[in-house]
């Protein structure tokens, strides 16, 4: 009888210790996830603001570029008019609504966000063992979906700015000296460099983030959650057609 009681006490002690460990796992994982969500939100906001600023400058420069092109070379100007997307139309398109952002995130693969989704799943599984229930991950799915959609939108805008700049560069005039193009290229280049700098800052881990990740990587099976992939394949973003741009909500000349 005494042996049985001791066995029960040991079992309860082990269960309590295990539950406490699971609580700690959940706490550290949520800490890591919250830090990264905050960082990504800040990064998205900085990129969006930078793109708005550069588009405001680029659309004015393109206006001057088009006028000079029209005066100098009618054939080159006709080529210029064939492309339906301008810096002005990109600027006026604005940010898609929440439903459109969800669609963007649903059909694109983004390893960074898939990793965060995997950590969310880790929290969910650990919370069940610890007895915390589903409330431990309340709100995370919508936050991650919104952030991923915003990130994809910013990438799309960046791609279109680059595509438009390359298109203007491809227009050949008789003398090959279309004034204003170098200014557009420089503006695009420096804006992209700023965004790269923002990305470097966002990727710089804080002390709290490093400690949380160090703890989690010591847990058996954690790395498997980091390999989570919920995407449906990366859509080729190298060249977007007019139809694709309009489906994404952008105003084109045709529209």
């Amino acid at each position: 009888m005494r042996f049985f009681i001791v066995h029960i006490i040991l079992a309860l002690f082990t269960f309590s210790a295990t539950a406490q460990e699971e609580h700690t796992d959940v706490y550290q994982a949520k800490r890591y996830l919250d830090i990264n969500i905050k960082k990504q939100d800040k990064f998205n906001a900085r990129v969006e603001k930078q793109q708005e600023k550069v588009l405001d400058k680029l659309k004015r420069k393109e206006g001057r570029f088009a006028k000079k092109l029209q005066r100098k070379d009618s054939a080159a100007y006709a080529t210029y008019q064939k492309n339906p997307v301008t810096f002005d139309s990109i600027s006026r398109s604005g940010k898609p609504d929440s439903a459109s952002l969800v669609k963007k995130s649903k059909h694109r693969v983004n390893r960074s966000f898939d990793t965060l989704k995997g950590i969310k799943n880790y929290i969910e599984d650990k919370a069940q063992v610890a007895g915390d229930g589903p409330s431990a991950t309340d709100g995370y799915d919508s936050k991650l979906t919104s952030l991923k959609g915003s990130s994809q939108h910013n990438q799309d805008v960046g791609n279109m700015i680059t595509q438009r700049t390359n298109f203007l560069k491809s227009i050949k005039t008789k003398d090959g000296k279309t004034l204003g193009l170098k200014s557009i290229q420089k503006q695009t280049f420096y804006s992209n460099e700023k965004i790269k700098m923002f990305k470097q800052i966002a990727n710089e881990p804080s002390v709290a983030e490093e400690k949380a990740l160090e703890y989690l990587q010591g847990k058996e099976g954690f790395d498997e959650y980091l390999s989570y992939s919920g995407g449906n394949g990366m859509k080729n973003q190298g060249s977007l057609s007019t139809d694709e741009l309009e489906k994404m909500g952008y105003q084109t000349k045709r529209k």
Side-chain angles (χ1 to χ4, degrees):
M1 183 66 178
R2 183 179 297 176
F3 175 79
F4 179 74
I5 293 173
V6 171
H7 184 73
I8 292 295
I9 292 172
L10 287 174
L12 290 173
F13 178 79
T14 302
F15 176 79
S16 178
T18 302
Q20 183 58 46
E21 185 178 349
E22 302 295 340
H23 280 301
T24 304
D25 293 349
V26 169
Y27 169 78
Q28 293 291 356
K30 289 184 72 172
R31 188 183 189 193
Y32 181 82
L33 189 54
D34 289 338
I35 290 171
N36 277 274
I37 285 174
K38 187 176 180 180
K39 284 170 60 176
Q40 186 61 49
D41 189 36
K42 185 176 181 180
F43 172 68
N44 285 349
R46 295 186 79 174
V47 172
E48 187 177 345
K49 186 175 181 180
Q50 174 58 29
Q51 288 177 336
E52 287 175 356
K53 286 171 63 178
V54 75
L55 282 169
D56 190 50
K57 294 177 181 178
L58 287 173
K59 65 184 181 182
R60 293 198 299 269
K61 290 180 182 295
E62 183 179 358
R64 292 193 290 269
F65 171 85
K67 288 179 181 179
K68 291 175 182 177
L69 194 65
Q70 188 176 23
R71 289 197 304 267
K72 292 181 65 176
D73 194 324
S74 58
Y77 182 70
T79 300
Y80 164 80
Q81 289 184 304
K82 289 180 181 179
N83 193 314
V85 180
T86 65
F87 290 128
D88 183 53
S89 68
I90 297 171
S91 177
R92 286 187 288 105
S93 64
K95 189 173 181 178
D97 57 27
S98 57
S100 298
L101 289 178
V102 169
K103 289 180 180 179
K104 281 177 180 284
S105 68
K106 187 177 181 180
H107 299 293
R108 308 282 183 91
V109 172
N110 187 311
R111 290 183 180 179
S112 296
F113 283 98
D114 285 343
T115 296
L116 295 182
K117 184 78 171 180
I119 293 173
K120 194 277 298 186
N121 291 344
Y122 175 83
I123 295 170
E124 206 165 45
D125 291 346
K126 287 292 181 179
Q128 288 181 353
V129 177
D132 293 337
S135 61
T137 54
D138 277 353
Y140 279 123
D141 280 327
S142 60
K143 284 180 184 178
L144 291 173
T145 299
S146 177
L147 285 175
K148 186 178 178 183
S150 295
S151 178
Q152 295 295 347
H153 169 72
N154 289 343
Q155 286 182 33
D156 290 338
V157 172
N159 287 337
M160 286 189 290
I161 291 173
T162 299
Q163 287 174 27
R164 185 59 181 172
T165 302
N166 290 338
F167 171 74
L168 297 180
K169 184 181 177 181
S170 71
I171 298 175
K172 304 297 182 182
T173 57
K174 293 176 182 178
D175 57 9
K177 296 180 180 180
T178 305
L179 300 177
L181 181 56
K182 285 186 178 180
S183 178
I184 290 175
Q185 288 177 286
K186 283 183 179 180
Q187 202 70 58
T188 302
F189 173 78
Y190 288 126
S191 179
N192 288 339
E193 289 302 301
K194 275 190 176 182
I195 291 174
K196 286 180 183 178
M197 182 185 68
F198 296 156
K199 186 65 174 177
Q200 288 177 352
I201 294 172
N203 287 338
E204 191 68 29
S206 65
V207 174
E209 182 183 353
E210 285 184 328
K211 286 184 177 180
L213 184 59
E214 183 180 358
Y215 172 87
L216 293 168
Q217 286 180 326
K219 308 302 293 184
E220 185 178 355
F222 175 74
D223 288 344
E224 295 177 9
Y225 286 86
L226 299 184
S227 62
Y228 169 85
S229 178
N232 297 318
M234 178 67 79
K235 181 183 177 67
N236 179 9
Q237 300 179 42
S239 59
L240 300 172
S241 68
T242 302
D243 289 336
E244 288 176 312
L245 293 168
E246 289 178 355
K247 286 178 181 177
M248 289 160 56
Y250 295 104
Q251 282 291 123
T252 64
K253 279 186 176 180
R254 183 179 72 180
K255 209 170 184 182

